[in-house]
Amino acid sequence: MGTGVALSAKKLCRHHTKGGQRIDILTGVDLEIAPGECLSVIGPSGSGKSTFLQILGLLDRPSSGSLELDGQEVGQLGAGGRAAVRSRKVGFVFQAHNLLPEHTALMNAMLPVRLAGGSLSTARARATALLEAVGLGGRLNHKPGELSGGEQQRVALARALVMGPGLVLADEPTGNLDPTTAAGVFDVMLSLNRQLGSSLVVVTHSLELAARFPRRLRLDGGRFVEG
């Protein structure tokens, strides 16, 4: 499970056109992430944090610039190529956990393996191990409606990790949680990052939680600054 990827972004730009006007979101992002490194990203609402994370996770393409994962240029791949790389190397945790309400915690966490063609036994073993690692070994057969908000987000984290991605991206993963629950979810994320060696990038509005990461970036004027 989880050998981190090396990531390199150079002069990444992203703009949209609305009403005939160009709106610049990212204006030349440069970023190097070492395998296994974990970092937080902060910035005001509308600063482009989520856009950057979507580009990093190959859900969107930059308008210009380069993005490399493990030495492979991936930023300008077509939709099929991005999907193929994403399924192998990237895991996502979003603010909304997006669990399937009719399925148990175990079934939700197993889903990516099954969708990728993995066997039922492999999916069950991987998902069970991760749910135990996030403290939900006794809740495997509970459905999302029977779990607390923090527990639901831990299921979502297990689901994001079940394919053993080298890069884990989290976009405001504790935005819907109270501070104590949020801190607990961050504890689990950082612990698993150390255990699995994945590269972890977390966008958060919480300065307190961001400060717990060994490296912190702030999006300012469409570019990242350390601090």
Side-chain angles (χ1 to χ4, degrees), residues 141-204:
N141 295 315
H142 287 69
K143 294 181 179 180
E146 301 170 313
L147 301 173
S148 69
E151 288 171 335
Q152 291 175 38
Q153 199 61 300
R154 291 181 186 210
V155 175
L157 177 58
R159 180 183 59 192
L161 295 171
V162 75
M163 291 293 289
L167 176 64
V168 178
L169 305 174
D171 190 1
E172 298 283 10
T174 60
N176 290 331
L177 305 176
D178 65 82
T180 300
T181 303
V185 171
F186 264 59
D187 286 341
V188 172
M189 292 184 71
L190 290 168
S191 175
L192 284 175
N193 174 253
R194 288 191 294 269
Q195 292 177 39
L196 303 178
S198 54
S199 303
L200 174 64
V201 181
V202 177
V203 164
T204 178

Side-chain angles (χ1 to χ4, degrees), residues 45-68:
S45 296
S47 62
K49 302 185 304 297
S50 293
T51 296
F52 178 72
L53 215 62
Q54 289 171 355
I55 290 174
L56 215 62
L58 308 181
L59 292 171
D60 191 11
R61 287 201 301 185
S63 301
S64 61
S66 68
L67 177 66
E68 294 185 358

Side-chain angles (χ1 to χ4, degrees), residues 10 30 54 59 97 104 118 182 203 227:
K10 296 180 180 178
D30 294 302
Q54 289 171 355
L59 292 171
H97 51 72
T104 64
V203 164

Side-chain angles (χ1 to χ4, degrees), residues 8-198:
S8 175
K10 296 180 180 178
K11 299 181 179 179
L12 279 186
C13 295
R14 187 69 174 96
H15 63 263
H16 297 297
T17 301
K18 185 175 182 180
Q21 289 189 323
R22 172 169 159 160
I23 301 172
D24 290 307
I25 302 171
L26 302 175
T27 60
V29 168
D30 294 302
L31 180 64
E32 301 282 338
I33 300 176
E37 187 173 14
C38 62
L39 59 93
S40 61
V41 176
I42 60 171
S45 296
S47 62
K49 302 185 304 297
S50 293
T51 296
F52 178 72
L53 215 62
Q54 289 171 355
I55 290 174
L56 215 62
L58 308 181
L59 292 171
D60 191 11
R61 287 201 301 185
S63 301
S64 61
S66 68
L67 177 66
E68 294 185 358
L69 288 179
D70 284 341
Q72 176 188 2
E73 170 57 47
V74 296
Q76 297 301 334
L77 290 174
R82 295 201 312 274
V85 175
R86 190 168 61 240
S87 66
R88 298 195 315 270
K89 296 190 175 184
V90 184
F92 288 95
V93 184
F94 297 103
Q95 182 172 338
H97 51 72
N98 297 321
L99 300 178
L100 298 177
E102 70 274 18
H103 290 315
T104 64
L106 180 59
M107 290 296 293
N108 270 283
M110 289 169 56
L111 190 60
V113 180
R114 297 294 287 154
L115 290 175
S119 69
L120 182 63
S121 60
T122 297
R124 185 181 298 276
R126 288 185 183 181
T128 299
L130 281 166
L131 288 169
E132 289 175 347
V134 301
L136 294 178
R139 314 279 282 180
L140 300 181
N141 295 315
H142 287 69
K143 294 181 179 180
E146 301 170 313
L147 301 173
S148 69
E151 288 171 335
Q152 291 175 38
Q153 199 61 300
R154 291 181 186 210
V155 175
L157 177 58
R159 180 183 59 192
L161 295 171
V162 75
M163 291 293 289
L167 176 64
V168 178
L169 305 174
D171 190 1
E172 298 283 10
T174 60
N176 290 331
L177 305 176
D178 65 82
T180 300
T181 303
V185 171
F186 264 59
D187 286 341
V188 172
M189 292 184 71
L190 290 168
S191 175
L192 284 175
N193 174 253
R194 288 191 294 269
Q195 292 177 39
L196 303 178
S198 54

